[in-house]
Amino acid sequence: MEHQSRDQEHGRIEEYKIISLVFQARARLALRSYMQHSLHQTSRLMPADVIDLAYFFHRDRDVSHAEKHERDRDIALANPNASDDTARLCTWLSVMRKRQGMDGQRPIRDLLQGLRVLLFGIGIALGAFTVGGWLSLNKLLSPEAAPSGVNVIYFWSATVGWQLLMLTVLGVRMGLGDWANHIPGLGGLRRWLHHLPSCILKIAGIIIHRFKPSQRQALYTLQAWLTQSQRYQRLMLWYPLSLRQRFAVGLNLGLAGMFLFFSFASQPDFRWQSEQFNCTSLERATRVISWPWHWLAPQGRPSPNHIRITYHHPDPIDAHSDCQPTAGAVAPKWWPFLFASMLVYGLIPRVFLDVLSSWQVHRAARHVALHHPDSRELLLRMQRPLVDTGARVQPAPAGFTPPLASLEPEREAPTVSCGRGFVFKWAGVLLSDDEIHDLVRRQWGIDTVALYEVGGLDVSRDEKALFALETSRNIDQVLLLVEAWQPPVTDYRNFVTQLRQTLRDDQMIWVLLYHRDPDGDIVTPRESDLDQWRTTLEHIDAWLRVKPMIEESA
Amino acid sequence: MTNPVFVVVGAVNRGKSSIVSTLAENDAVIIEKTLGTTKEAQTFAFRIDGQTLYTLIDTPGFELARQALAWLQKHEHLHVDRAAVVRQFIREHVGRGAFPQECELLQPILDGGAILYVVDSSVPFSPLHQAEMEILQWTMQPRMALLNQIHEDDYAAEWRQGLDQYFNIKLEFNALKVDLRQRIKLLQTLIILNAAWQKPLGQAMQAILNEYRYRIEDSATSIAHTLVAMLTLRLECDVPADDDLEPHKQALKQRYDDQLRLLEAECFRQIRERYEHRHLHVDHTGFPAVQEDLLETSHWQFLDVKQWWAVAGGAAAGAIIGGTIDAGVGASSFLAGTVIGTGIGGIAGLVGSYKLPEVSVDVSLPLLGALKLKPFRRAAPHHRIKKLTIGPMQNRLFPYVVLSRAVRYHHLILTRPHARREQLSLSLVMNDNEETEWMTRAHKSAFDTQLRNLTQTPDGSLTELAACIRDIIEAYEGFYSHLALL
């Protein structure tokens, strides 16, 4: 039997060992994945990031949308692992800081962290100095001047009581929501507590007005930045609170630490004296105050006899009647009660509020960063594809440069009139030979002695036509009929040049512009076409003039 | 598979650069009536996040098409493949000055580019173009003809007949009047040239549509920012108490009015920039070249901003006040307060509907000065001042006026092809025969809600206001009909 029970026990122990190992392994695995996640999780927005964001947005105010889009999209494409908005913002901030030459440096963050450390240190120092100075008073003063013991009530009020009051005010401020407006009086209190911080800005405005005009502008700018706290409202609520709690945590640590040290090192003599409290009422008060911890540490609650023993009154006649100690009383110790009070009503709430406000600061920073209108636009720019339609390609300069000065004829050019005409008809002019003969005679009284078609697909016909002109005699007018809507390209210019080489220098060349409407009727060419032909051809040949084939609609 | 390349070719001054300018949304492309503006082939790539989907190449026009074709026909016997003859043509003439334009436009085609042959369908078809079309046919590349009607005359039927021999695909595409739908249609048509281009061109079409949506959103955001800035604008100035106030009041009012105009000008500039109209000529004074001044109330009635909107707002406010009085007297007034308040509020809204802010004078002196104690007055002489203030804007119609002008301006910019080069001088006033309602009742209600929210949480409501304006713009543009294109 004994053997069996030993085996059973052994089995249970082994079972517990296995279960314990499994839990340990799971815990290690969870911790490892958390650490890995934390290491890769660079995406956590802090108040310093909000400040940096505001700074970069301010710098971007004069940058064009296109440049910002290109820059931000490039950052997004270079960092595809950023999967949510927070990660994208953090990535963007990291890249922008690097470009600013702030590689690895975070001056704002360091400043804010330094501020927190400083406040913490000041709190510790202040708390330690307060308690240490108070409890050392009797050591510093002469025995006649030194008070007999430390008044517990004063000591408790100074170290714990006022903190309870501040916590109550804070609780009221935080606890009053919109529902308070329905309760008479509470609504007003809520509004007063809510607007209390803004009084600082109003006072600042009054003070600013006292400055010289030259100084006011800079101060108004600062005030304007502070009034933008509407955007940063949650952050402006929680961040100062977080700083205060950090100070308060330090203060309570200093208080509690120094108190413990003195309690063991010099064992101060705690007594109490009060006209308002008698032993019974003080005993009730300590019972209420010690309720949170007395079940855990009964020595943290002073016994009624304890209270009687430590009661002190210089005049025994006026002493409270219920404060007579019983016989066989144990040496009293107030320090557990005081220390527990410091912990429960001082340090622990402040630590809790510190953690809560830090968490809320991170939440508020994240909220501000993500919901800032400029942040929304930034995130959109990072996510939108960069579409380049070629809009920003710089085109090459124009190729054609007309001559600087027009060539003036040596004598006044004659008008197209009378005589024998040699006509070149450019391919595409849809007029028959007879129509051209008739038109030329009617318009200018010219007899057409020869008409050749040029400009067709067979380029040799151009040369034949020019040769025919060269061998012709007694030609008064040379006419070239072209389609007005065709641009005077190199082909035309070359032909005109060749034509000039065939003629004498002062022989006029008339380029007649032919145009037809959709019905096929010959009409006056467009003014723009006429100008283009004139600008191009009359500049290369002084004895060339461009005219419409008909001056008015046929 | 390389991405598609489209070479825009044609005769001189036929609108090639205009088409490229419109498709690439580049208003810096030089478009002039002078001859031979384009001297070199220029590439415009359509990219998304740096990845090229297709490329447009603008080329100079044919200058010696007949002679070039004659050369090709003369040397045809040298090669089996006509494209090889064209390659030889380029090899022999490039850099030697003989056929510079022809070499410049044929090289990208032989490098694999598809041909977009541009003709002007407002001029008669001419057999002169046959040489050009023949040369293009020799390259043996996919090709398509674009009929660009530059002037009022229409010879499209003639051109279609003339192009039949060389081009299976013909599309009318007016570079000066094209809209988003026609741009998308062009891309859809280009897919026919090569089915393998469906993916990149499909992505391009989707990207263009998305980009238009983003542009509308960004424009709406700009308008929202401008609206908030205008409605909250407040200027002050301190004037020595002994000075004549009138010149200072006029100067302050002028500064306020100019600031409002500048805010609107900046908004319009951002909208132009968003739509890549970077070289759009505007009025030299820096204000948008619109014929109607923002603060010229005589044109407000033509903006489809209904005066009863101001009456409604005033009446609502009056009703609230009157209703409060009724409640205070325990309804023994038989709602007379509400009725009277509505009437008075409505009349006040109507009377003040075209009233713009005026300068007010704050005669109260700072705290110590008001005590008029001699020591303090001597100690702080700069406190003997009067403060002039103007703003913020209280006119109930003004937000609608700003919004109406901005929506119209946005429409004009959105529908303006980049090929147009004339100076932008727009009349924002609606024609009498236009029946387009620019803001529905639902949109107005949403807009009113956002304006009210602005007074409470300016920053928080900005995004919602921008979204509301975006909805109004999209409805105005009939944007949703464009989404059916894909």
Side-chain angles (χ1 to χ4, degrees):
Chain A
M1 282 282 293
E2 199 177 307
H3 212 63
Q4 213 174 10
S5 67
R6 212 181 298 136
D7 286 340
Q8 281 177 356
E9 194 177 328
H10 186 72
R12 272 202 297 276
I13 290 170
E14 288 300 317
E15 194 179 321
Y16 291 150
K17 274 187 185 171
I18 292 169
I19 292 172
S20 164
L21 283 172
V22 167
F23 273 121
Q24 283 179 36
R26 281 186 182 172
R28 270 198 293 271
L29 198 64
L31 184 64
R32 191 178 307 140
S33 66
Y34 172 76
M35 292 298 291
Q36 280 176 353
H37 180 71
S38 298
L39 281 173
H40 288 105
Q41 184 79 8
T42 56
S43 53
R44 202 170 167 225
L45 290 163
M46 317 274 284
D49 297 323
V50 174
I51 295 172
D52 284 347
L53 272 177
Y55 166 71
F56 286 122
F57 290 153
H58 179 74
R59 283 192 59 191
D60 272 354
R61 69 189 187 284
D62 292 328
V63 178
S64 70
H65 179 277
E67 288 174 24
K68 284 191 282 194
H69 189 191
E70 194 173 337
R71 178 198 66 196
D72 299 337
R73 183 62 180 167
D74 285 344
I75 293 174
L77 290 173
N79 298 275
N81 292 330
S83 55
D84 60 5
D85 289 346
T86 305
R88 290 188 194 104
L89 276 183
C90 290
T91 304
W92 188 83
L93 276 172
S94 172
V95 171
M96 293 301 288
R97 287 183 188 121
K98 213 174 279 185
R99 290 181 186 181
Q100 277 278 99
M102 294 160 56
D103 215 355
Q105 298 171 18
R106 304 276 299 273
I108 299 294
R109 184 195 63 177
D110 295 340
L111 180 69
L112 295 179
Q113 282 182 350
L115 181 62
R116 292 170 73 85
V117 170
L118 180 66
L119 286 172
F120 184 71
I122 291 174
I124 288 181
L126 191 62
F129 182 76
T130 301
V131 170
W134 194 322
L135 297 180
S136 301
L137 199 59
N138 57 347
K139 299 284 187 293
L140 299 172
L141 300 175
S142 62
E144 295 78 19
S148 52
V150 179
N151 193 325
V152 166
I153 296 174
Y154 291 167
F155 187 80
W156 187 92
S157 300
T159 55
V160 180
W162 70 272
Q163 291 198 66
L164 266 180
L165 185 64
M166 300 304 293
L167 281 173
T168 306
V169 171
L170 184 62
V172 168
R173 165 72 174 87
M174 305 299 288
L176 286 179
D178 291 336
W179 57 267
N181 293 330
H182 300 289
I183 299 174
L186 272 185
L189 176 64
R190 175 173 178 258
R191 276 192 296 277
W192 181 76
L193 290 172
H194 180 76
H195 287 110
L196 197 58
S198 65
C199 291
I200 300 171
L201 295 172
K202 286 189 172 58
I203 294 169
I206 294 172
I207 293 173
I208 288 171
H209 204 72
R210 318 306 291 177
F211 282 82
K212 290 179 184 172
S214 59
Q215 296 165 332
R216 279 185 218 160
Q217 189 54 46
L219 294 170
Y220 277 135
T221 305
L222 176 63
Q223 188 190 31
W225 188 86
L226 290 174
T227 54
Q228 278 189 12
S229 63
Q230 189 172 21
R231 175 180 295 170
Y232 305 99
Q233 198 170 19
R234 285 179 60 186
L235 199 57
M236 290 293 284
L237 170 67
W238 286 105
Y239 191 71
L241 185 67
S242 165
L243 290 177
R244 290 198 296 273
Q245 301 319 304
R246 186 55 61 97
F247 168 79
V249 166
L251 177 74
N252 281 281
L253 276 177
L255 288 173
M258 189 57 75
F259 178 75
L260 260 186
F261 170 73
F262 268 87
S263 296
F264 284 98
S266 63
Q267 294 175 356
D269 182 21
F270 285 106
R271 295 179 177 274
W272 65 278
Q273 178 183 352
S274 172
E275 300 298 329
Q276 285 75 33
F277 281 100
N278 57 18
C279 286
T280 308
S281 55
L282 185 63
E283 193 261 334
R284 282 189 199 135
T286 55
R287 185 184 292 271
V288 170
I289 291 170
S290 63
W291 179 85
W293 64 78
H294 85 279
W295 53 273
L296 189 64
Q299 64 273 25
R301 171 183 283 177
S303 63
N305 207 34
H306 183 173
I307 292 171
R308 291 189 199 99
I309 292 171
T310 53
Y311 173 65
H312 169 76
H313 198 281
D315 186 358
I317 296 175
D318 290 334
H320 296 299
S321 58
D322 61 342
C323 290
Q324 296 299 321
T326 55
V330 183
K333 288 180 185 175
W334 274 99
W335 76 266
F337 170 76
L338 291 170
F339 181 69
S341 294
M342 286 179 193
L343 284 184
V344 173
Y345 297 114
L347 185 62
I348 292 176
R350 295 300 181 171
V351 167
F352 172 74
L353 281 175
D354 186 29
V355 170
L356 175 68
S357 56
S358 295
W359 174 57
Q360 288 290 350
V361 162
H362 291 314
R363 281 189 70 209
R366 187 169 177 276
H367 176 84
V368 166
L370 291 180
H371 291 87
H372 192 298
D374 292 338
S375 294
R376 303 309 311 168
E377 290 177 25
L378 166 62
L379 289 168
L380 282 175
R381 287 197 300 271
M382 292 179 80
Q383 291 171 59
R384 285 179 185 173
L386 196 62
V387 176
D388 180 9
T389 57
R392 267 159 265 164
V393 173
Q394 282 301 316
F400 179 75
T401 307
L404 291 175
S406 60
L407 303 170
E408 294 295 331
E410 289 181 2
R411 61 184 171 86
E412 185 178 332
T415 55
V416 180
S417 63
C418 305
R420 292 158 53 84
F422 196 107
V423 179
F424 294 95
K425 183 181 80 170
W426 201 272
V429 174
L430 298 181
L431 291 173
S432 65
D433 292 358
D434 291 336
E435 283 174 325
I436 291 173
H437 289 178
D438 183 51
L439 195 65
V440 165
R441 184 181 298 112
R442 271 195 294 114
Q443 288 283 326
W444 297 292
I446 293 174
D447 291 324
T448 307
V449 299
L451 192 151
Y452 283 85
E453 183 170 310
V454 294
L457 291 179
D458 184 3
V459 294
S460 63
R461 293 184 68 172
D462 298 1
E463 294 170 7
K464 289 177 187 166
L466 289 171
F467 180 74
L469 174 63
E470 194 176 7
T471 56
S472 296
R473 294 283 180 264
N474 299 324
I475 299 297
D476 300 309
Q477 310 288 352
V478 176
L479 307 172
L480 173 61
L481 271 61
V482 297
E483 292 166 316
W485 62 88
Q486 298 292 353
V489 294
T490 307
D491 200 4
Y492 292 98
R493 298 198 298 273
N494 287 351
F495 182 80
V496 166
T497 303
Q498 289 174 325
L499 190 56
R500 173 57 59 198
Q501 289 168 353
T502 307
L503 300 171
R504 62 176 191 276
D505 286 346
D506 59 348
Q507 173 89 47
M508 282 303 295
I509 299 174
W510 299 99
V511 176
L512 303 177
L513 299 185
Y514 156 81
H515 192 77
R516 62 179 170 87
D517 63 12
D519 297 328
D521 298 327
I522 302 172
V523 294
T524 310
R526 293 194 188 97
E527 202 59 41
S528 56
D529 293 336
L530 188 59
D531 287 340
Q532 188 173 72
W533 279 92
R534 280 182 173 157
T535 305
T536 308
L537 292 189
E538 290 182 4
H539 276 101
I540 63 174
D541 193 314
W543 297 99
L544 183 150
R545 291 294 180 269
V546 178
K547 291 176 71 66
M549 182 170 282
I550 55 170
E551 300 288 351
E552 57 188 11
S553 300
Chain B
M1 177 67 201
T2 56
N3 289 315
V5 176
F6 302 106
V7 187
V8 183
V9 299
V12 171
N13 277 17
R14 286 298 173 257
K16 298 185 296 303
S17 296
S18 297
I19 286 176
V20 170
S21 172
T22 292
L23 290 176
E25 295 183 343
N26 188 325
D27 60 355
V29 173
I30 299 171
I31 298 171
E32 291 177 5
K33 289 188 169 54
T34 52
L35 217 54
T37 307
T38 308
K39 188 181 174 187
E40 299 170 357
Q42 189 147 24
T43 303
F44 298 84
F46 185 97
R47 295 192 183 98
I48 297 180
D49 288 334
Q51 184 192 2
T52 301
L53 293 183
Y54 70 84
T55 305
L56 281 174
I57 300 180
D58 187 17
T59 61
F62 284 99
E63 294 269 356
L64 293 165
R66 298 188 299 133
Q67 290 80 353
L69 180 61
W71 189 99
L72 293 172
Q73 287 169 336
K74 188 177 170 186
H75 295 81
E76 185 178 0
H77 65 280
L78 296 176
H79 300 275
V80 174
D81 181 6
R82 280 183 165 183
V85 181
V86 181
R87 282 198 187 84
Q88 185 180 352
F89 169 84
I90 295 173
R91 272 198 305 272
E92 291 200 12
H93 295 101
V94 70
R96 293 183 186 166
F99 294 93
Q101 290 82 12
E102 282 69 24
C103 291
E104 193 69 24
L105 69 93
L106 287 171
Q107 184 64 61
I109 296 174
L110 292 175
D111 289 340
I115 298 167
L116 293 183
Y117 181 60
V118 180
V119 300
D120 179 5
S121 59
S122 65
V123 300
F125 175 78
S126 170
L128 286 179
H129 297 293
Q130 194 177 353
E132 298 168 359
M133 292 187 277
E134 190 73 31
I135 294 172
L136 295 175
Q137 196 177 44
W138 277 51
T139 62
M140 302 178 75
Q141 286 293 104
R143 55 191 181 275
M144 170 179 165
L146 294 179
L147 283 73
N148 180 24
Q149 187 179 354
I150 298 177
H151 304 290
E152 302 80 24
D153 297 335
D154 186 4
Y155 295 86
E158 268 187 50
W159 277 99
R160 285 184 180 275
Q161 206 171 353
L163 292 166
D164 264 343
Q165 185 184 355
Y166 298 96
F167 296 91
N168 293 330
I169 305 170
K170 300 169 278 289
L171 183 69
E172 291 184 28
F173 191 85
N174 189 333
L176 298 181
K177 293 181 183 175
V178 68
D179 59 8
L180 176 62
R181 187 186 295 269
Q182 287 165 319
R183 278 183 66 188
I184 299 295
K185 190 178 173 187
L186 173 62
L187 290 176
Q188 285 175 330
T189 309
L190 288 172
I191 294 176
I192 300 174
L193 293 177
N194 189 335
W197 295 342
Q198 181 159 10
K199 187 180 174 188
L201 292 181
Q203 286 178 344
M205 284 189 278
Q206 187 64 55
I208 290 172
L209 279 176
N210 290 339
E211 184 64 15
Y212 263 73
R213 186 182 295 123
Y214 297 147
R215 287 175 179 177
I216 290 176
E217 276 184 22
D218 292 341
S219 300
T221 303
S222 296
I223 296 170
H225 277 286
T226 301
L227 203 51
V228 170
M230 282 184 171
L231 295 178
T232 57
L233 180 64
R234 185 168 179 269
L235 298 180
E236 296 176 351
C237 109
D238 293 337
V239 177
D242 301 331
D243 273 15
D244 180 16
L245 290 182
E246 209 46 50
H248 293 286
K249 282 165 108 173
Q250 285 176 9
L252 186 63
K253 172 106 173 70
Q254 185 64 45
R255 204 154 60 98
Y256 180 81
D257 291 348
D258 286 347
Q259 188 64 24
L260 288 177
R261 293 190 186 97
L262 278 173
L263 285 169
E264 185 184 58
E266 175 59 22
C267 174
F268 288 2
R269 187 197 64 80
Q270 288 175 4
I271 291 174
R272 285 198 303 275
E273 188 183 287
R274 197 62 190 93
Y275 283 92
E276 306 286 2
H277 285 283
R278 296 169 189 277
H279 299 86
L280 203 51
H281 296 293
V282 293
D283 188 80
H284 69 282
T285 60
F287 294 149
V290 295
Q291 296 173 6
E292 293 80 21
D293 181 51
L294 169 66
L295 301 171
E296 186 57 51
T297 56
S298 59
H299 87 285
W300 286 11
Q301 58 181 319
F302 298 108
L303 290 172
D304 197 24
V305 173
K306 300 187 173 45
Q307 204 169 4
W308 66 262
W309 293 347
V311 173
I320 290 171
I321 296 170
T324 307
I325 296 172
D326 286 334
V329 299
S332 58
S333 58
F334 299 102
L335 300 179
T338 305
V339 171
I340 294 170
T342 304
I344 292 173
I347 291 169
L350 181 65
V351 167
S353 60
Y354 285 163
K355 196 169 182 306
L356 293 173
E358 294 295 332
V359 179
S360 63
V361 180
D362 182 3
V363 297
S364 61
L365 298 176
L367 182 64
L368 293 182
L371 296 177
K372 296 184 181 176
L373 295 178
K374 277 191 179 175
F376 292 108
R377 285 167 72 184
R378 280 193 192 139
H382 61 278
H383 289 155
R384 291 198 293 269
I385 54 166
K386 286 186 182 175
K387 179 179 281 194
L388 304 183
T389 310
I390 183 167
M393 178 66 71
Q394 301 288 341
N395 187 304
R396 292 181 195 280
L397 281 184
F398 190 75
Y400 302 101
V401 169
V402 172
L403 181 62
S404 175
R405 286 168 64 92
V407 168
R408 278 175 172 73
Y409 191 84
H410 173 267
H411 172 74
L412 292 167
I413 294 298
L414 182 147
T415 54
R416 182 182 172 92
H418 291 73
R420 292 181 66 174
R421 291 288 187 267
E422 71 274 17
Q423 181 166 345
L424 182 70
S425 180
L426 308 165
S427 173
L428 295 173
V429 170
M430 217 168 45
N431 293 330
D432 290 337
N433 57 358
E434 275 193 39
E435 297 177 357
T436 309
E437 187 179 297
W438 69 281
M439 192 155 75
T440 62
R441 283 183 184 273
H443 286 142
K444 182 189 174 304
S445 173
F447 184 64
D448 288 341
T449 304
Q450 296 310 323
L451 284 181
R452 275 197 302 276
N453 290 344
L454 271 181
T455 59
Q456 294 162 9
T457 53
D459 289 330
S461 300
L462 197 62
T463 310
E464 283 77 20
L465 177 63
C468 175
I469 294 174
R470 180 204 63 209
D471 293 340
I472 292 171
I473 292 176
E474 284 181 348
Y476 184 78
E477 300 295 339
F479 182 75
Y480 295 106
S481 63
H482 292 146
L483 297 180
L485 290 174
L486 296 181

